[in-house]
Amino acid sequence: MESIKDASKDELIETIESLKAENEKTKDELMQKVRHLESEQLKSNVSNRQLEGKIKELKGEINSFKKNPLILATITEVFDDNQVGIKGNVGHEFLVNYPKSINTEFLEPGARVALNQNTLTVVNVFPRKKDENITAMEIEEKPNVTYDDIGGLEKQITEIKETVELPIKNPEIFEEIGIDPPKGILLYGTPGTGKTLLAKAVANNTNARFIKLVASEFVNKYLGEGSRYVREVFELAREKTPAIIFIDEIDAIGTKRVGDNSGADREVQRTLMQLLAELDGFDQRGDVGIIAATNRPDILDDALLRPGRFDRTIEVPNPSEEGRKQILKIHTERMKLDNIDFDVIAHITQGLSGADLKAICTEAGMFAIRSKRKKVISKDFLDAIDKILGNINVN
Ligand code: ATP
């Protein structure tokens, strides 16, 4: 079409229609753009709100950094009138207030609290860990370990019977002669040689309550409370006699003092002082036996070894060949064995402890089970020795 004047009616209608269609298309495209922009706006609104939240959070964090830090301490006693006794790692004990709003469910001796630095008011209480008691102190009314369960320590058993059992069973003998029975004995030797076993057997043979304390647990978990626990243990022993107090890993609280003045070291020393005070103040009638154990007698504080304290020391060494044979027999008593020559096994396990030999017996049983056999054969023992020796070398 050259000019509109020359256009026929049909041509004009066609042109108008095509212009209309073009218009519609442009309108659609514009609408699409509007919708796209609207959704973009929506998205940026959302991310704006998220950013505002983040800013608020960060501002809160900055404010909390500006606040004074809180002091951590341990509750020693709970009093009336919203007051508790607390002790920090530096030693002093304080009587402080706590607000009524605090969670009183956890307020008990041993629980940790956070204190305001200026007023020492309790602002938060954390629950006492439930497993702490179990790991640091173990009480058995009468352990079921007997002397028959111990292999190769005849000399040590005789000495323990004389020094710990006799005063419990026949205190009158000491009275008649006019001497004080020995107070504490120290068992020393490498791990797994049967020190705990010996202490338990004494308790069994004297019908005594067995109270075991792991000194290293005090140091790791009861910072600020070690001395209180030592006191409580001695009270517990006096409450029901006869009793055997067994302090394992005593070196953790009884090492020679080297003048380190850190809070933790002072606390360890306080625990040791409490132990020495308990030993000294102990009216020894013979009905409480005190046995300590260590793998490191060389690092012990001399104060512990003075007369009237742990003045009897007994070495508990790794078993001899004959001892190893006895220990193997004890630990295979209930096992189904096929013609095992314990002389040979005892011979080739030189240098191993009672605990290692027990592990070998268990492992031999496992090899038999894996091979679907009903009896344990010599090869199982040899494989078990290989495995245990491998583990020992690796360690
Ligand atoms: P640690 O120094 O590591 O505390 P320990 O000397 O107290 O070790 P025990 O706990 O008495 O050693 O021994 C660990 C296990 O090894 C015992 O439960 C026991 O099964 C076995 N055992 C160790 N020594 C002997 C032994 N002389 N006779 C029989 N079994 C033993």
Side-chain angles (χ1 to χ4, degrees):
M1 186 169 54
E2 300 224 326
S3 100
I4 206 154
K5 281 189 276 173
D6 310 322
S8 67
K9 192 181 167 196
D10 283 348
E11 277 174 337
L12 280 173
I13 290 172
E14 197 184 320
T15 311
I16 290 167
E17 285 305 317
S18 93
L19 282 171
K20 261 189 188 170
E22 232 169 82
N23 259 351
E24 277 304 307
K25 199 176 152 213
T26 318
K27 197 174 142 197
D28 276 353
E29 278 170 5
L30 283 173
M31 284 306 286
Q32 227 172 349
K33 271 191 187 152
V34 168
R35 275 197 294 274
H36 177 73
L37 286 172
E38 274 174 354
S39 94
E40 283 298 304
Q41 191 188 10
L42 217 67
K43 270 192 219 160
S44 65
N45 281 351
V46 171
S47 84
N48 257 358
R49 270 199 293 276
Q50 282 174 342
L51 286 173
E52 276 167 15
K54 192 86 192 154
I55 289 171
K56 219 166 147 186
E57 200 182 298
L58 288 172
K59 274 187 180 163
E61 237 173 80
I62 290 170
N63 280 340
S64 78
F65 287 146
K66 284 184 190 160
K67 276 188 201 156
N68 284 336
L70 300 171
I71 299 175
L72 270 177
T74 307
I75 297 182
T76 52
E77 222 172 321
V78 179
F79 296 97
D80 292 337
D81 302 327
N82 289 13
Q83 288 190 314
V84 282
I86 55 113
K87 197 171 179 186
N89 289 350
V90 276
H92 295 300
E93 225 169 313
F94 294 98
L95 184 63
V96 301
N97 295 310
Y98 63 86
K100 284 202 176 74
S101 56
I102 214 121
N103 188 353
T104 50
E105 187 196 338
F106 303 137
L107 271 186
E108 57 172 334
R112 303 283 280 161
V113 285
L115 309 170
N116 176 296
Q117 243 189 27
N118 298 323
T119 59
L120 291 190
T121 304
V122 178
V123 293
N124 207 352
V125 193
F126 309 102
R128 185 187 176 129
K129 284 195 198 111
K130 286 290 179 246
D131 66 343
E132 286 187 347
N133 271 335
I134 303 161
T135 50
M137 196 196 299
E138 176 192 318
I139 304 174
E140 273 181 69
E141 282 316 322
K142 184 187 169 187
N144 55 13
V145 176
T146 69
Y147 290 122
D148 291 340
D149 298 319
I150 304 175
L153 294 174
E154 292 81 10
K155 208 176 94 219
Q156 287 78 1
I157 291 174
T158 309
E159 211 170 333
I160 283 190
K161 279 186 171 171
E162 238 175 65
T163 49
V164 192
E165 276 200 14
L166 196 61
I168 293 179
K169 285 182 165 169
N170 306 95
E172 70 288 348
I173 295 179
F174 292 85
E175 252 165 56
E176 274 166 23
I177 295 285
I179 55 164
D180 289 332
K183 248 185 207 173
I185 66 160
L186 176 74
L187 303 178
Y188 68 94
T190 47
T193 45
K195 297 179 286 297
T196 311
L197 223 49
L198 278 169
K200 283 192 174 180
V202 179
N204 171 288
N205 217 35
T206 50
N207 290 318
R209 179 186 249 190
F210 178 78
I211 306 170
K212 176 181 166 181
L213 279 173
V214 183
S216 57
E217 297 286 344
F218 282 162
V219 180
N220 299 336
K221 292 191 175 166
Y222 292 99
L223 207 57
E225 285 188 274
S227 50
R228 186 169 68 88
Y229 267 84
V230 168
R231 201 169 58 236
E232 277 181 11
V233 162
F234 277 78
E235 270 165 24
L236 210 66
R238 275 185 286 251
E239 222 168 63
K240 189 166 172 248
T241 55
I244 298 290
I245 299 177
F246 178 61
I247 307 172
D248 204 5
E249 299 176 31
I250 193 165
D251 42 283
I253 54 166
T255 35
K256 288 187 181 89
R257 278 156 279 180
V258 285
D260 175 357
N261 252 348
S262 70
D265 192 69
R266 276 203 300 278
E267 183 50 38
V268 170
Q269 282 177 23
R270 253 195 301 280
T271 308
L272 173 62
M273 290 304 155
Q274 185 66 38
L275 175 62
L276 297 177
E278 291 292 344
L279 286 167
D280 293 346
F282 210 62
D283 173 21
Q284 181 58 298
R285 288 185 306 274
D287 49 5
V288 177
I290 308 164
I291 303 175
T294 182
N295 308 325
R296 297 289 316 269
D298 53 311
I299 57 167
L300 284 187
D301 195 313
D302 293 337
L304 267 173
L305 308 171
R306 288 206 189 109
R309 294 174 179 167
F310 294 102
D311 49 3
R312 299 288 180 110
T313 53
I314 300 176
E315 185 183 3
V316 186
N318 271 338
S320 64
E321 191 164 325
E322 180 53 34
R324 292 197 293 279
K325 197 168 141 188
Q326 284 175 22
I327 295 172
L328 286 164
K329 284 195 172 155
I330 290 169
H331 290 294
T332 51
E333 212 179 1
R334 286 173 31 243
M335 286 168 66
K336 293 217 165 51
L337 304 174
D338 185 35
N339 215 6
I340 306 294
D341 189 340
F342 284 119
D343 286 325
V344 174
I345 297 174
H347 187 69
I348 59 174
T349 48
Q350 197 197 340
L352 297 194
S353 69
D356 296 331
L357 294 169
K358 181 191 180 179
I360 285 173
C361 296
T362 311
E363 203 50 57
M366 290 305 297
F367 275 111
I369 291 173
R370 276 182 218 124
S371 309
K372 302 200 168 33
R373 258 182 279 100
K374 291 268 188 294
K375 283 186 174 179
V376 185
I377 60 174
S378 294
K379 186 177 177 305
D380 295 328
F381 274 92
L382 296 179
D383 288 343
I385 292 168
D386 250 8
K387 184 167 175 186
I388 300 293
L389 281 179
N391 286 345
I392 291 171
N393 288 338
V394 168
N395 291 336

